[in-house]
Amino acid sequence: MITDGLPACWDFQLFIKDLHFDGVPVRIYLPKEPSASKRRGVIFIHGGCGIFGSFSKELKEKMRLFTRKSDSVVVSVGYHLAPEQKYPAQTLECLTATQHFLKTAETYGVDPARIIVCGDSVGGTFTATVCQELGHRTDIPKIRAQVLIYPYLQALNFNLPSHQKNAAVAFLTRERAVRYILKYLNKDCSLKEPILAGSHVPESINSKYRKWINPDLIPDAFKVGYKPPLPALFSPQVHQEVQELFEPRVSPLLAEDAVVCGVPDTCIVTCEHDVLRDEGLLYKKRLEDNNVRVTWHHVEKGFHSALGFFGYERVMSWVRESSI
């Protein structure tokens, strides 16, 4: 009861159904009240580092609230977790579920031109990846927008200002961020320390991506007290062990401009007390540099996993007020 909450089988205002989209488990929330026109659609991808959570356990009441307040049809994706399902199964399942909904939206009373993808934490990673991979597709409807809530977006540099400032903040410390990504990729957690130091990145890769992942790109207001770390000694052995960290499916910030320019309108939510804060700021700049329209909400007193404690009012407000 504590972990799952109440059963999701009854709601006076919603139809709630457990389905499979091309084999991927989903839970769909549909308003019972008829609509004069086709509704918006929202695909929600939950966080949990790819190793925790599911649509049956996380945020059921908030999914209901989101559906009612935004008058949308919401699809929560129950991707299978790592390490039992090996990377990149999670991303591929989110991609499959999204494609299925885009193709069949009208079946659920949804306008296929008004579908957004939304995710928190690693759900934001999967959201960013889905939008990158579908950005230039012409055989299915375009995703209207993406919402990235304190997303994890890169694994090159764990010494950005937000990593230093929030290294020991509750729910996601700097150390846990690396430990969880290693668990997600089914890697030896003893690699954590050299990755935290930056020993997994050769100078050639650092040079290539410095234009996108660089403390100098963070606004000065977010760098108070920041001290640049000493250069790390490169370890070829560690680099060889963690090649996946350099793939855009793990680090969407590393996608090429030709990919990034194709993503839809974006809303990014960052929190001040979050090790991942600066990743959202860096992606915001990358999108703007590629002429993608970005709405940015920064929560001054927010922290990673805050959605587990507070409502979706900020996101719902953006959905209601936007042109979606």
Side-chain angles (χ1 to χ4, degrees):
M1 186 68 130
I2 291 172
T3 58
D4 289 354
L6 296 173
C9 58
W10 179 255
D11 189 295
F12 287 107
Q13 295 177 271
L14 306 176
F15 292 108
I16 303 174
K17 301 178 181 179
D18 288 346
L19 303 172
H20 285 81
F21 283 179
D22 290 336
V24 179
V26 301
R27 175 164 288 163
I28 187 167
Y29 300 77
L30 303 99
K32 289 182 178 180
E33 185 176 340
S35 175
S37 59
K38 290 185 173 63
R39 287 187 163 94
R40 304 178 185 91
V42 178
I43 299 168
F44 183 82
I45 305 175
H46 69 81
C49 309
I51 57 179
F52 306 117
S54 77
F55 67 75
S56 64
K57 293 181 179 179
E58 53 79 44
L59 302 176
K60 284 201 291 286
E61 291 305 318
K62 291 184 173 63
M63 289 292 95
R64 291 169 172 167
L65 178 66
F66 197 6
T67 303
R68 291 193 294 263
K69 294 290 186 180
S70 66
D71 192 31
S72 303
V73 174
V74 176
V75 174
S76 184
V77 182
Y79 58 86
H80 293 91
L81 303 176
E84 290 77 16
Q85 293 292 320
K86 297 187 183 301
Y87 163 85
Q90 296 70 33
T91 298
L92 295 176
E93 289 191 333
C94 293
L95 188 62
T96 295
T98 300
Q99 291 178 95
H100 181 97
F101 191 48
L102 289 168
K103 293 175 183 177
T104 62
E106 294 188 71
T107 304
Y108 305 100
V110 171
D111 181 349
R114 301 173 71 207
I115 293 175
I116 73 171
V117 187
C118 173
D120 66 310
S121 193
V122 80
T125 315
F126 299 151
T127 296
T129 300
V130 165
C131 289
Q132 288 181 359
E133 298 201 15
L134 297 182
H136 293 290
R137 289 274 296 272
T138 59
D139 57 322
I140 56 177
K142 293 287 186 183
I143 295 170
R144 178 62 184 83
Q146 62 176 338
V147 180
L148 311 178
I149 305 170
Y150 41 71
Y152 166 89
L153 295 170
Q154 62 86 33
L156 262 69
N157 188 336
F158 290 97
N159 288 285
L160 295 170
S162 64
H163 292 125
Q164 286 190 9
K165 178 179 182 292
N166 299 305
V169 170
F171 300 113
L172 188 67
T173 65
R174 177 172 171 267
E175 180 271 343
R176 283 179 182 168
V178 175
R179 179 181 293 275
Y180 288 153
I181 193 63
L182 288 171
K183 284 184 174 292
Y184 169 59
L185 296 174
N186 202 23
K187 302 294 184 180
D188 189 340
C189 287
S190 67
L191 298 169
K192 178 190 66 175
E193 293 303 327
I195 290 174
L196 283 169
S199 297
H200 62 304
V201 188
E203 181 53 35
S204 58
I205 290 181
N206 266 325
S207 298
K208 177 178 180 180
Y209 294 115
R210 192 168 287 127
K211 58 184 176 180
W212 298 333
I213 303 175
N214 190 329
D216 293 342
L217 302 175
I218 305 296
D220 288 341
F222 295 100
K223 293 193 293 185
V224 176
Y226 172 67
K227 297 180 180 179
L230 296 174
L233 181 64
F234 172 61
S235 169
Q237 294 81 8
V238 174
H239 173 73
Q240 190 62 37
E241 284 287 327
V242 294
Q243 289 291 305
E244 294 91 338
L245 295 181
F246 305 98
E247 297 175 2
R249 283 178 173 171
V250 174
S251 297
L253 254 169
L254 304 188
E256 297 295 330
D257 284 338
V259 173
V260 172
C261 70
V263 305
D265 291 352
T266 301
C267 174
I268 297 177
V269 179
T270 56
C271 292
E272 181 60 28
H273 306 294
D274 180 12
V275 289
L276 304 185
R277 179 199 67 193
D278 291 350
E279 301 184 17
L281 296 176
L282 292 173
Y283 201 47
K284 171 180 177 290
K285 185 179 188 309
R286 279 217 66 199
L287 295 176
E288 291 171 339
D289 288 348
N290 280 276
N291 299 312
V292 176
R293 190 173 71 169
V294 179
T295 301
W296 173 49
H297 295 292
H298 183 64
V299 186
E300 289 286 348
K301 296 182 180 180
F303 52 91
H304 200 82
S305 301
L307 275 186
F309 300 88
F310 304 104
Y312 277 89
E313 285 304 321
R314 200 174 281 269
V315 177
M316 288 189 292
S317 173
W318 181 77
V319 171
R320 287 196 301 266
E321 295 171 5
S322 71
S323 59
I324 295 175

